[in-house]
Amino acid sequence: MSCRKLRDGARGCSQYNIYREEGNCSHFSSSDFSTSLELEGFSVSDTSGTEEDTDSAVLYGTLRGSVVGLRYYTGIVNNNEMVALQREPNNPYDKNAVKVNNVNGDQVGHIKKELAAALAGIMDNKLALIEGVVPYGAKNAFTMPVQMSFWGREENKEAVLDQLKRHGFKLAPPLKGSECDFASKWISGRAGPSYSAPVHAAVQLTPEQLKSEFDKLFEDLKEDDKTCELEGAEAVATLLLPHQKQALAWMVSRENSNDLPPFWEERSNFYYNTLTNFAEKKRPKNVLGGILADDMGLGKTLTTIALILTNFQDGKPLPVQKIPSDKFYEESGTNSMNSVGRRLCKDSNNMMDPGVSNIKKLETAPLKYSSCLPKSDAAKKPRYSGSSDLGKSEDLLLQQTKTTSFVIQDPGFASVLLPPSTSLKRRTKRKGTTSIQSVEKKYSGDDPRTTLIVCPVSVLSNWIDQFEQHIHQDFHVNIYIYYGSDRSRDPSFLSEQDIVLTTYNILATDYGMKGDSPLHKVTWLRIVLDEGHTIRNPNAQQTKAALNLDGHRRWVITGTPIQNSVKDLWSLISFLKLKPFTDREWWHRTIQRPVTMGAPGGLGRLQSLIRSITLRRTKTSKIKGKPVLDLPARKVLIQYVTLTEEERQIYQSVKKEGKAAISRFFSEGTVLAHYADILGVLLRLRQLCCHPRLCINTSSSSFTADSKTPEELHEILVSKMKLVLSSGSDEECAVCLESLTLPVITRCAHVFCRPCIFEVIRSEQRNAKCPLCRSELRAEHLVECPLEGEIDSSNEKKSDQEWISSSKINALMHALIELRRDEPTAKCLVVSQFTTFLSLIENPLKESGFTFTRLDGSMAQKKRVEAIQCFQSSQAGSPTVMLLSLKAGGVGLNLTAASRVFLMDPAWNPAAEDQCFDRCHRLGQQHNVVITKFIVKDSVEENMLKIQNKKRELAAGAFATNKPSASEIKQTKIKEIKALIDL
DNA sequence: ACCGCCGGGTGCC
DNA sequence: ACCGCCGGGTGCC
C-alpha cells in the first residue's frame, strides 16, 4: 500500500507532471491527487504547448552540481542512475528549493541552494527541462554529485544561459557521451568509448526512415514464442482458429506470468532497471496483460471473451455453472436468487444506440432471447474441454441456474429495479481447498472475479452480439451493461458480475463526479480497454479515468496501436502500469526522446518493449507459412450507368440551381456557414442519380437563419443537423476528428460531438468560438439531435404513388437476373445509403420473383436477427437478395452467405464502403466476392469516386503524418465541394 | 585582543 | 564531515 502512495507521489514529482497537473497553481502539493483533479481545467489548455516543447527540445549543455541533505531522506540511488529534479516552491527555508528524487519517486536530497537559486527561475518559467544523473558517489553519506542536462527550445537557450550566468554558472557544451545519458550507455555498451553522441534530432535516421521503422515496429512479433496454442474453455461456444488459440495462449501466459517486466534484471538480491539504473529490493510487478493489436477481423473480441472464460485463476476457467437446457427452462423466471441477472426494462424504442435497444428487448424476454440462437445451431457448435485439466472443475460451479444474462438500463426509462442480491453464494477456491462462503460486500475484496470491459459506444452492441455468439448458452455468465442513467451505483453489485461492460464516456463521466465512481471502487479481476487507442491523449478525462481503475490484469485491445508517433504509446504503457514508465519523465527520457531523436538503440528499446507486451498479426501475417486469414479473392467492378434523357434533365436543372447557390456562397465567403445547405444540394444530386423520386419534397432549407423566432431557429438547426447526419457524408467532428458521437449543432450550423464542443466551451470559458468558423459559441445555444432512431431525410410514405423505375434500378435488375440465370444459388447484397431507395427496389424484385430480405438501421433487433438468419440460411427457397442500408449493423455483422455486392450509390467515405464489403468478405466466406458499384456517368457520383481515391491515398500514407488541423480540414472540405459540383 | 589561533560543536533546503 | 563554518575560549617565548 505504502508503495502505491510513493508511486503516486512520484507521478507528481517529475517536471512533466508539474507542468501538466499544476499549471499556474504550483503552490498546490503535487502529490495530492484530488488537488490535481481540481486543476484539470487549467491543465488542459496549459499542456499542449509543453508537449510540443519536449518534442522539439535541443540539448543546451550540461552542468555538474551537488545534491545535499542526503541523510535526511530515504531515497537511494546507484551510480549512473537517473534522478528527477522537482521544484519545491513552498519549502519554508528556501523558496528556490529543488528536490532530487530517484526513479521510484523517493526523495534523495536537495540541490545545493546556490545552484537551486539559479535553477528555480528556469524551471518555473519552463525555459528548460533539467534532467539529472548521479555519475558517482551515490553511496555518499552527505552529498553527491549530479550531472544535469538542460533541454529546451532553441529560442529559450539564451535566456537559460543568461540566467545561469547571473548566478555564476556556465554550461559545458554537450559533447562527450556522458552528457547524453541515453546515448552514452548505448554507445558504450556496444563498442568501447564514444566520441560524440547525437545531440540534435534525426542524426541517425531521417523522419522518413523513422516512419518506416514505426511501420515495422509491430510486424513480425509473432514468430518467437507466441505460437503456442490453447483451446478455449468449455463455455466458449465457438471453435477458435489457430491464430486465435495462439492469442489465447499468449494472453493466458501473460496473465499467469512470473516474469520480470521488460528492462528489469535480478542482480544479487536486487531488481535492477537497465534503462534508469534504478534498483530496489522489492520485485517490480509485471504487467499481467498487454496489448492485443491484431488487425480488424482477426477476432480480438472473441479472443478476449475466450480469455475471460478460460483464465479465471492460474489457468482455471471462470467458474460458471453449466446447466442442462431442459432444467434451464424449468427454473428460469422462478429463481429469484439470481434476479441480479434480470433487470427488466419496459421498452426500448428510445435508446440512443440502436444496437443496445435491441438487446434490451432480449432482456424483457430472456427465454425468447436464448432461443434467438436456434437450438440446432448451438448443438452444431463443437464442444471441447480446455487444455489438460481445465474446464472440468465441477466443484467450482456457481450455485446459479441461468444462462448468459444481460442487465441493461438505459436513459429515460423506469426500470424495474430489484435490490442487488446479497444472498448470492458462491464457492470459492482458496489454498487448494473449496469452501462455500457468503460473498462479502467488499467490492471484490481480495478475490476479484469481475472483468471490466471499456469500449466506445459504437462497439457496445458489437460486444453484446459477440457475447451472445461466443458464450455457450448452457453456461451462466453474469454480464452487466453499465450504461444509461439507471445504471447500478452499487460497487458490490458490480463486483459480483462476471463481466461488466461500459463505455469510455460513462467511465469518464463517473470519474468526473468526485469520489462517486462505482467503477473506481471495485478491484477488478481484469480490465480490458477495447479500441484502446482512444485513450492516447494523456490529458483526456477518459484516459485519466482509465488509468485510475484498479485491477492487476490490464489489457489494451486495438487495431491501431500507434496512430501518429511514439507519443501515442505512453498512455497505453502507463495504463499497463509498467514500471517505471507510468511516470512520463522516465518514458520520455528512456524511450520517447531517444526514439524521436534517432539515438542509437532508441528504436531497439522501443521494439523490445513492444515485443514483450504486444501481440499483433495482420491479415497477411502467416502461421507456419500459411496466412492467418485465407480469404477468397475480392474484386470491385464499376458499372457505369447513363441517365435517361428525362432523368438527365431533372438532374441538370437541380445541379444548375445548386451550383448557382454554392457559387454565391463562395463569392460571399460563406461556404462554411452554409455547409449543411451545400451538403443538401449534393445530397439531392446523389439521390437523383438513384431515382428521381428520392428527392421530391426535400425541402430546400432556407439559406438564411436571421430574424427567426427561437422555435423556428431550433427547427432549422435540427433539420440541418439531420441533413448533415443523413447525407451519408460521414461527417467527422472537427475537434476529435473522429465520427460524431452524440452530435450537437451550433447556432452557426456546425456539428460536433457533444463532449468535444463542451470541452471547448469549458476551456475557453466566456470567449469560446466555433472551431470551424469562429462564431460565438454558447452552451445554451447548442441543439441536440432528437432521438428518433434512424434518421432519414428522404420522406417515406410514397407508396401510394405509381411505381416507376430508374436507370440505376434497371441496371441492377439486369445484373440480378443475369446472375440468377448463371448462378441460381448465389446470394447478393444490394446496398444503398438511402433506405427509401431500397424500398423502391423492392417493387421490381417482387415483380421478377426474387426472394429477398432486408436489413436497415431502423429495424428492431429481433427482426434484424431474423433477417440475418434467414439470409444466411442455405436452405432452398431462402432469400437470394438482401437489401442492406450501408451503415446497418456494427462491425460484427456477418453476411458471409453473400458472394456478390451491388453498391447502388457511392459513399462519401471509402472506409464506410470497405466496412460494408467486409461484412461478407470475412472469415467464413467460401466464394470469391465480386462487388459492383453503380456509378452514373457525368454526375456527382463520378466526382465522388475521384475524391474517394484521394482519401484512400491519404489514408494509406497517413501512418506517421500528423493529424490535420481544423483549418486543414476546412480547406479539404472546400476543395471537395468544388470538385463535387465542378466549380 | 576592536586581533589570530585553537579546538569543539555542528551540519540541506 | 578525514570537510568548512561558527563562535567561544584564549593570549609571549
Side-chain angles (χ1 to χ4, degrees):
Chain A
M1 277 300 103
S2 64
C3 127
R4 165 73 64 69
K5 271 260 153 49
L6 284 172
R7 207 123 53 79
D8 284 347
R11 278 165 43 81
C13 282
S14 78
Q15 295 171 23
Y16 303 91
N17 280 287
I18 295 170
Y19 292 0
R20 190 172 83 241
E21 311 252 73
E22 299 196 348
N24 305 326
C25 306
S26 47
H27 56 279
F28 281 100
S29 151
S30 60
S31 56
D32 179 349
F33 188 66
S34 62
T35 303
S36 59
L37 264 182
E38 283 160 20
L39 292 171
E40 260 159 26
F42 299 90
S43 60
V44 170
S45 49
D46 205 33
T47 44
S48 49
T50 320
E51 280 182 42
E52 268 167 281
D53 293 353
T54 65
D55 249 21
S56 53
V58 297
L59 180 58
Y60 298 158
T62 66
L63 183 64
R64 179 66 59 84
S66 39
V67 187
V68 297
L70 304 185
R71 63 164 152 157
Y72 300 99
Y73 307 100
T74 54
I76 53 162
V77 290
N78 290 302
N79 287 342
N80 286 317
E81 184 170 328
M82 295 181 175
V83 288
L85 273 56
Q86 182 197 10
R87 275 284 283 125
E88 193 187 18
N90 296 323
N91 186 298
Y93 304 95
D94 182 0
K95 62 177 170 36
N96 293 325
V98 177
K99 293 207 285 183
V100 177
N101 304 322
N102 69 10
V103 178
N104 210 27
D106 302 329
Q107 185 171 359
V108 175
H110 276 105
I111 291 290
K112 205 169 155 56
K113 63 177 179 299
E114 294 79 8
L115 180 55
L119 300 187
I122 294 172
M123 294 172 75
D124 292 343
N125 296 315
K126 299 167 194 171
L127 295 176
L129 288 176
I130 309 172
E131 300 181 345
V133 173
V134 175
Y136 56 86
K139 299 290 172 276
N140 292 356
F142 303 100
T143 68
M144 63 172 70
V146 57
Q147 186 73 22
M148 291 169 291
S149 306
F150 290 68
W151 297 84
R153 281 184 301 180
E154 192 59 55
E155 62 262 37
N156 291 333
K157 185 169 179 176
E158 277 314 306
V160 170
L161 295 182
D162 212 57
Q163 161 90 350
L164 287 169
K165 199 173 172 186
R166 268 185 280 135
H167 288 82
F169 296 101
K170 189 169 180 289
L171 291 187
L175 268 180
K176 299 291 185 308
S178 58
E179 278 106 53
C180 235
D181 50 42
F182 62 81
S184 71
K185 248 169 281 152
W186 282 79
I187 292 179
S188 59
R190 283 170 168 208
S194 58
Y195 299 103
S196 67
V199 165
H200 295 284
V203 177
Q204 266 69 28
L205 293 175
T206 64
E208 286 72 28
Q209 285 171 313
L210 258 182
K211 277 179 208 169
S212 82
E213 287 306 312
F214 280 154
D215 283 336
K216 283 188 240 152
L217 204 55
F218 285 87
E219 298 300 322
D220 304 319
L221 295 178
K222 73 284 168 189
E223 287 301 341
D224 36 11
D225 56 343
K226 294 171 185 170
T227 51
C228 279
E229 296 186 5
L230 179 68
E231 299 281 353
E234 209 184 341
V236 183
T238 311
L239 180 59
L240 301 181
L241 294 169
H243 73 275
Q244 292 164 344
K245 289 186 213 168
Q246 285 179 8
L248 178 62
W250 176 75
M251 292 178 95
V252 168
S253 79
R254 293 280 322 156
E255 291 198 343
N256 301 339
S257 155
N258 255 329
D259 294 351
L260 284 168
F263 311 114
W264 289 85
E265 291 172 4
E266 191 169 358
R267 287 191 189 174
S268 54
N269 289 329
F270 273 90
Y271 297 96
Y272 186 82
N273 184 277
T274 57
L275 295 185
T276 59
N277 295 321
F278 175 75
E280 64 180 336
K281 262 262 186 321
K282 202 166 61 61
R283 188 188 171 91
K285 280 223 178 74
N286 195 4
V287 229
L288 300 180
I291 304 175
L292 178 60
D294 280 349
D295 246 2
M296 259 182 63
L298 294 189
K300 291 191 289 287
T301 309
L302 167 58
T303 308
T304 306
I305 291 171
L307 174 72
I308 293 169
L309 297 174
T310 307
N311 190 45
F312 177 51
Q313 270 162 13
D314 310 321
K316 294 235 174 1
L318 186 71
V320 286
Q321 185 172 23
K322 187 182 178 186
I323 18 142
S325 12
D326 51 335
K327 202 178 176 199
F328 160 63
Y329 283 104
E330 279 168 28
E331 294 195 2
S332 59
T334 58
N335 190 343
S336 64
M337 190 175 84
N338 302 302
S339 55
V340 281
R342 292 285 179 261
R343 292 298 163 76
L344 305 187
C345 305
K346 283 187 201 155
D347 196 10
S348 62
N349 291 329
N350 253 16
M351 293 285 296
M352 291 199 238
D353 183 308
V356 173
S357 74
N358 302 324
I359 294 304
K360 195 148 54 73
K361 273 266 159 58
L362 309 174
E363 248 329 278
T364 52
L367 291 180
K368 281 197 190 105
Y369 148 62
S370 65
S371 66
C372 278
L373 284 176
K375 277 265 165 268
S376 57
D377 233 36
K380 265 185 280 171
K381 278 171 191 159
R383 294 202 194 155
Y384 35 89
S385 56
S387 70
S388 64
D389 59 345
L390 307 185
K392 45 190 170 190
S393 35
E394 300 266 307
D395 55 343
L396 283 181
L397 296 184
L398 285 190
Q399 303 255 301
Q400 292 179 352
T401 49
K402 288 284 166 69
T403 62
T404 311
S405 54
F406 298 112
V407 185
I408 301 186
Q409 279 114 41
D410 65 81
F413 274 91
S415 332
V416 184
L417 271 178
L418 309 171
S421 163
T422 47
S423 61
L424 188 74
K425 295 198 174 176
R426 76 166 192 254
R427 292 181 183 215
T428 318
K429 185 131 182 158
R430 279 237 175 105
K431 291 169 194 149
T433 58
T434 310
S435 63
I436 297 182
Q437 56 158 175
S438 182
V439 178
E440 296 296 321
K441 302 285 108 32
K442 279 281 168 50
Y443 314 152
S444 86
D446 28 16
D447 197 12
R449 73 142 32 212
T450 318
T451 296
L452 174 69
I453 300 171
V454 187
C455 68
V457 207
S458 56
V459 293
L460 196 61
S461 57
N462 180 50
W463 271 98
I464 298 171
D465 288 350
Q466 304 258 329
F467 289 144
E468 217 174 288
Q469 266 184 50
H470 300 307
I471 298 177
H472 201 292
Q473 59 180 320
D474 289 352
F475 287 83
H476 177 95
V477 178
N478 269 324
I479 300 173
Y480 182 73
I481 318 293
Y482 186 82
Y483 185 77
S485 53
D486 288 352
R487 57 188 183 270
S488 164
R489 294 272 159 196
D490 180 1
S492 71
F493 167 68
L494 296 180
S495 64
E496 282 164 8
Q497 308 300 315
D498 296 308
I499 299 172
V500 170
L501 177 64
T502 191
T503 68
Y504 287 101
N505 280 338
I506 295 279
L507 178 71
T509 311
D510 267 27
Y511 185 63
M513 302 185 305
K514 291 173 196 140
D516 190 36
S517 169
L519 297 177
H520 291 84
K521 289 181 184 157
V522 173
T523 299
W524 305 97
L525 171 69
R526 180 189 289 110
I527 303 164
V528 177
L529 303 186
D530 186 27
E531 302 300 338
H533 54 271
T534 47
I535 64 155
R536 68 179 175 276
N537 175 4
N539 300 312
Q541 180 80 356
Q542 56 188 24
T543 306
K544 295 179 183 184
L547 257 42
N548 280 288
L549 288 166
D550 183 17
H552 282 130
R553 306 188 195 174
R554 304 171 83 91
W555 288 101
V556 171
I557 312 285
T558 173
T560 48
I562 289 191
Q563 295 229 315
N564 295 313
S565 71
V566 236
K567 274 199 291 190
D568 298 342
L569 269 176
W570 181 72
S571 297
L572 305 190
I573 302 284
S574 178
F575 167 76
L576 295 177
K577 299 211 185 291
L578 264 179
K579 251 186 160 182
F581 305 123
T582 40
D583 187 317
R584 195 129 64 129
E585 175 167 358
W586 309 121
W587 164 256
H588 192 247
R589 283 176 70 168
T590 60
I591 307 275
Q592 183 173 316
R593 191 172 49 220
V595 170
T596 49
M597 290 191 41
L603 263 171
R605 286 180 189 192
L606 180 57
Q607 181 132 37
S608 71
L609 172 64
I610 296 298
R611 187 192 304 278
S612 65
I613 57 166
T614 305
L615 181 67
R616 172 171 173 83
R617 284 82 51 89
T618 60
K619 283 178 185 167
T620 53
S621 294
K622 291 182 178 159
I623 297 177
K624 295 162 202 153
K626 279 199 285 187
V628 164
L629 273 194
D630 205 1
L631 284 183
R634 177 176 115 171
K635 226 180 349 183
V636 181
L637 306 175
I638 291 181
Q639 172 74 60
Y640 285 102
V641 174
T642 309
L643 296 182
T644 64
E645 199 48 45
E646 205 185 343
E647 288 168 339
R648 175 58 66 182
Q649 267 179 16
I650 305 175
Y651 182 89
Q652 291 301 359
S653 77
V654 172
K655 178 175 173 183
K656 198 176 151 203
E657 189 186 313
K659 201 169 166 178
I662 294 173
S663 306
R664 200 172 70 241
F665 300 148
F666 268 109
S667 57
E668 288 170 357
T670 55
V671 176
L672 287 163
H674 290 109
Y675 193 60
D677 301 307
I678 293 170
L679 283 179
V681 171
L682 295 171
L683 174 64
R684 281 195 290 283
L685 291 178
R686 285 159 53 215
Q687 289 173 325
L688 283 173
C689 288
C690 295
H691 197 288
R693 201 169 281 168
L694 287 186
C695 82
I696 293 172
N697 278 342
T698 311
S699 64
S700 56
S701 68
S702 73
F703 284 179
T704 51
D706 309 323
S707 63
K708 292 280 193 307
T709 68
E711 290 74 27
E712 283 170 325
L713 198 59
H714 185 93
E715 274 310 300
I716 288 168
L717 287 175
V718 167
S719 71
K720 281 196 183 192
M721 176 158 47
K722 284 187 181 175
L723 190 58
V724 171
L725 296 177
S726 66
S727 65
S729 68
D730 193 38
E731 279 305 286
E732 290 147 342
C733 165
V735 179
C736 66
L737 307 179
E738 275 157 44
S739 282
L740 289 161
T741 46
L742 299 177
V744 293
I745 190 165
T746 60
R747 182 157 281 190
C748 49
H750 295 113
V751 180
F752 302 96
C753 304
R754 196 185 131 93
C756 290
I757 201 68
F758 267 94
E759 184 57 36
V760 170
I761 293 171
R762 197 170 68 95
S763 64
E764 295 184 32
Q765 304 281 326
R766 300 245 65 80
N767 309 317
K769 295 217 164 49
C770 169
L772 276 176
C773 69
R774 311 307 294 167
S775 302
E776 189 193 23
L777 191 57
R778 302 275 292 273
E780 60 270 28
H781 290 166
L782 296 177
V783 175
E784 306 203 9
C785 191
L787 300 167
E788 284 179 17
E790 183 83 336
I791 305 150
D792 195 334
S793 67
S794 36
N795 9 11
E796 292 292 340
K797 54 202 179 277
K798 284 180 224 110
S799 44
D800 46 336
Q801 291 181 43
E802 190 196 350
W803 186 83
I804 55 163
S805 188
S806 72
S807 301
K808 228 181 216 180
I809 291 183
N810 290 344
L812 169 72
M813 291 311 297
H814 179 81
L816 284 176
I817 289 168
E818 209 170 51
L819 177 64
R820 179 167 61 183
R821 187 193 60 208
D822 299 340
E823 291 176 64
T825 58
K827 298 200 178 205
C828 57
L829 304 174
V830 174
V831 182
S832 171
Q833 296 160 80
F834 310 112
T835 49
T836 321
F837 191 35
L838 294 178
S839 304
L840 285 167
I841 294 171
E842 289 183 11
N843 286 295
L845 286 180
K846 282 178 199 156
E847 270 174 25
S848 303
F850 283 94
T851 314
F852 63 92
T853 177
R854 174 174 174 142
L855 183 64
D856 67 52
S858 67
M859 292 161 66
Q861 175 76 357
K862 202 180 163 214
K863 288 202 134 190
R864 292 161 68 105
V865 172
E866 268 171 28
I868 295 164
Q869 283 182 352
C870 208
F871 181 72
Q872 288 285 91
S873 157
S874 54
Q875 282 175 8
S878 63
T880 55
V881 176
M882 172 181 268
L883 297 172
L884 178 68
S885 78
L886 185 78
K887 288 190 170 178
V891 267
L893 182 55
N894 187 340
L895 298 172
T896 45
S899 57
R900 296 289 305 252
V901 180
F902 295 99
L903 184 71
M904 300 310 294
D905 32 64
W908 205 277
N909 178 357
E913 289 183 6
D914 288 337
Q915 246 180 48
C916 176
F917 303 154
D918 281 343
R919 282 162 198 169
C920 72
H921 190 244
R922 57 180 285 167
L923 228 119
Q925 176 56 258
Q926 305 294 320
H927 305 96
N928 290 339
V929 172
V930 180
I931 295 150
T932 308
K933 292 166 86 163
F934 291 107
I935 300 292
V936 169
K937 253 312 197 203
D938 302 317
S939 77
V940 65
E941 289 190 342
E942 225 179 334
N943 293 331
M944 285 176 73
L945 277 196
K946 288 178 202 157
I947 287 178
Q948 282 190 351
N949 287 334
K950 264 192 211 138
K951 283 194 174 178
R952 280 210 175 84
E953 282 166 33
L954 223 68
F959 184 71
T961 53
N962 282 321
K963 275 185 182 181
S965 66
S967 79
E968 281 172 313
I969 291 178
K970 249 194 296 193
Q971 285 309 313
T972 314
K973 285 192 189 306
I974 290 177
K975 268 192 208 149
E976 281 180 15
I977 290 168
K978 285 189 169 176
L980 281 169
I981 194 118
D982 316 307
L983 263 174

